[in-house]
Amino acid sequence: MSTQLETSPVSSDTGKVTFLDAMVIGSGVAGLYQLHRLREMGLKVRAYDTASGVGGTWYWNRYPGARFDSQAEIYQYWFSEELYKSWQPTERFPAQPETEEWLNYVADRLDLRKDIQLSTRIVSAHYCEEKGRWNVTTEAGETINTQYLIACCGMLSAPLTDRFPGQSSFRGEIHHTGLWPKEGVNLKGKRVAVIGTGATGIQVIQTIAPQVGSMKVFVRTPQYIIPMRNPKYSKEDWEKWGSRFHELKKRVRETFAGFDYDFDAGPWAEKTPEERRAVLEKLWEDGSLALWLASFPEMFVDEQVSEAVSAFVREKMRERLQSKPELCDLLIPSSADYGFGTHRVPLENKYLEVYLQDNVEAVDCKKAPIEKIVPEGIQTADGKVHEVDIIIMAVGFDAGSGALSRIDIRGRNHRSLKEQWQQEIRTAMGLQIHGYPNLFTTGAPLAPSAALCNMTTCLQQQVDWITGCIDFSRQHGKHTVEATKDFEDSWVQHHDEVAAKTLVVKTDSWYMGSNVDGKPRRLISYIGGAGNYHRRCDEIAAEGYPGFAMA
Ligand code: NAP
């Protein structure tokens, strides 16, 4: 069924107006797939992206050492066995260039490019209640008039670039990892500062250590880490994974976090200390996120279990700093800080050993916080100026809500999503927001895809659900879909109840929005399990989308 296209004139700076059935913002993992699905449905659809290439996260995050922490065999699209088998990853956790190449390959193979407009920043999207359509404008002044607006903008795509006073006074180069220059940055022999030791900072630090002249790492909150085991994949290896395509496709939809592993170790309480240790050792050796997402779920809710698992990881970390034990306090979380896994656990490769190099200094910026950037470098609260040539800001993102809040989105009665989310971040299962008909979201707050999931699993599931919902409404002759207030209220309540039982809500991190001043505190991602979330979404679809009013 094709839409009756809107024909009334819409003014714009350039005069150019594009009329669409559906518009996708973003051309990363979710955007590419959403474009493909809606085009297959016969809709007139186009995707728009600020970047000059496709890939989303994998376009922007080209900093040294960028790679994912999900194994290549599950960081995949599941709609085509042929596609899965036709691309062969070179290792278990491929680096950014390979993943960017893969997404370009997907775009070519599905012939998506002709419907993607790159180098186009979306600045506003206003809903016209009378017509039941969205008027979207670009930075260049183009207008897109669309029935459905699907935001696939990414949950970690709004980099926190203006973090410190005085940044513009710096005489050297400053780069945020999420906006890393395509042409690269020459770090050879330079005095480099890295601010931030999250998953990104760790990858940068361990990768650039052999090139830099000297490095100062500004450490505020130490991390629990797991050493990555990253074997190369041969053609035969990939054929083996390919032969498991259907099994893996089914498995990742059912597990807690969209991986192929799950909490299968059995209850903590029923195990002896030796048995628990054996489970932890085995998962530690796996060199993946399995220690976190496939060991003991009790660690998320029970202080004692959390402390026992945390102590195990601390012990492993301490062994590696034996030659400089004075570093332990700065680089290893203490039991008073937070528990293992209550925020994102990074995988690493000889990260701690970097601090044993003579030319590397760990600066304790909890004790002496960064005050400002000065022309020579970074000034800390103890009055010291750390002189450097290059500052790498691995300081993170306005996660989940940031990408959408940076667009002037206005729904019914001209209500502003940004203003609304400044008060309280709410969504209906991360798929829609009450008050914004025909706006659908992926990777948005209050769904597992906002943080607690293997991204490809959860993003595809959301795209499939959105596509099904749009199809259903059109088949039933409906023009608009909008999550009801009651449905959204009940989801938010359920989300909060599940979250409140966990220790995650007690830990400061981007999961709780605490990395952005003034951001309302709420767990950004649904923590009731991706498998449960997927089942709930399937039930809603099967029941004819109760909670999503169609008119
Ligand atoms: P992040 O986890 O938010 O880490 C930001 C870091 O910057 C933290 O160490 C933070 O310290 C520090 N920081 C921020 N403001 C600071 C200040 N004023 N002074 C000193 N330190 C400051 O961001 P991220 O490392 O970019 O990672 C974000 C997410 O991206 C990850 O959690 C992960 O989900 C994803 N990611 C994935 C991969 C992968 O798959 N391998 C790699 C990279 C990123 P505090 O903790 O004290 O605030």
Side-chain angles (χ1 to χ4, degrees), residues 136-378:
V136 181
T137 57
T138 70
E139 200 169 39
E142 185 185 347
T143 298
I144 301 109
N145 182 272
T146 181
Q147 182 181 359
Y148 304 106
L149 178 61
I150 301 106
C152 299
C153 324
M155 75 295 173
L156 288 161
S157 55
L160 298 170
T161 45
D162 298 323
R163 206 59 175 154
F164 305 100
Q167 276 179 217
S168 59
S169 73
F170 183 53
R171 280 205 291 260
E173 294 174 47
I174 300 190
H175 299 286
H176 189 289
T177 50
L179 293 170
W180 200 258
K182 257 185 168 173
E183 61 281 10
V185 178
N186 181 12
L187 299 165
K188 199 155 180 272
K190 299 278 169 54
R191 298 170 306 165
V192 178
V194 180
I195 308 175
T197 55
T200 303
I202 285 175
Q203 290 185 330
V204 171
I205 292 159
Q206 68 195 17
T207 306
I208 68 173
Q211 309 161 33
V212 297
S214 64
M215 177 159 56
K216 287 179 183 250
V217 180
F218 290 77
V219 186
R220 191 163 68 176
T221 306
Q223 293 281 343
Y224 291 102
I225 51 174
I226 302 172
M228 172 186 276
R229 201 174 64 79
N230 191 16
K232 297 286 174 213
Y233 277 176
S234 65
K235 193 165 169 288
E236 291 70 35
D237 291 328
W238 197 246
E239 281 166 4
K240 270 189 216 148
W241 288 115
S243 69
R244 295 182 55 196
F245 173 81
H246 293 286
E247 171 206 336
L248 290 169
K249 173 182 177 168
K250 182 167 178 292
R251 174 79 176 152
V252 297
R253 274 185 63 94
E254 294 166 348
T255 57
F256 174 75
F259 286 75
D260 55 338
Y261 40 67
D262 209 349
F263 298 116
D264 295 327
W268 173 270
E270 290 174 18
K271 291 199 174 342
T272 64
E274 294 71 29
E275 286 169 340
R276 292 168 186 159
R277 176 94 196 179
V279 170
L280 297 178
E281 287 286 359
K282 184 164 170 275
L283 295 176
W284 179 264
E285 282 309 311
D286 190 59
S288 66
L289 295 176
L291 183 77
W292 179 33
L293 300 170
S295 57
F296 298 103
E298 297 88 336
M299 81 166 97
F300 292 104
V301 291
D302 182 323
E303 301 262 10
Q304 281 181 349
V305 180
S306 171
E307 173 49 23
V309 179
S310 303
F312 170 84
V313 178
R314 288 199 293 267
E315 180 191 320
K316 294 282 187 193
M317 293 176 71
R318 224 174 280 121
E319 282 166 15
R320 293 165 58 182
L321 291 173
Q322 271 174 15
S323 60
K324 274 195 185 175
E326 66 277 15
L327 285 172
C328 289
D329 283 351
L330 188 54
L331 298 178
I332 305 176
S334 78
S335 52
D337 287 335
Y338 62 98
F340 172 81
T342 58
H343 72 225
R344 172 68 150 79
V345 180
L347 299 184
E348 54 80 38
N349 179 16
K350 301 204 165 48
Y351 162 67
L352 288 177
E353 287 69 16
V354 169
Y355 296 93
L356 305 178
Q357 286 182 208
D358 289 340
N359 62 343
V360 176
E361 182 191 347
V363 180
D364 184 345
C365 67
K366 188 168 252 170
K367 209 187 265 173
I370 296 172
E371 263 188 359
K372 58 181 172 182
I373 308 294
V374 293
E376 302 78 22
I378 298 172

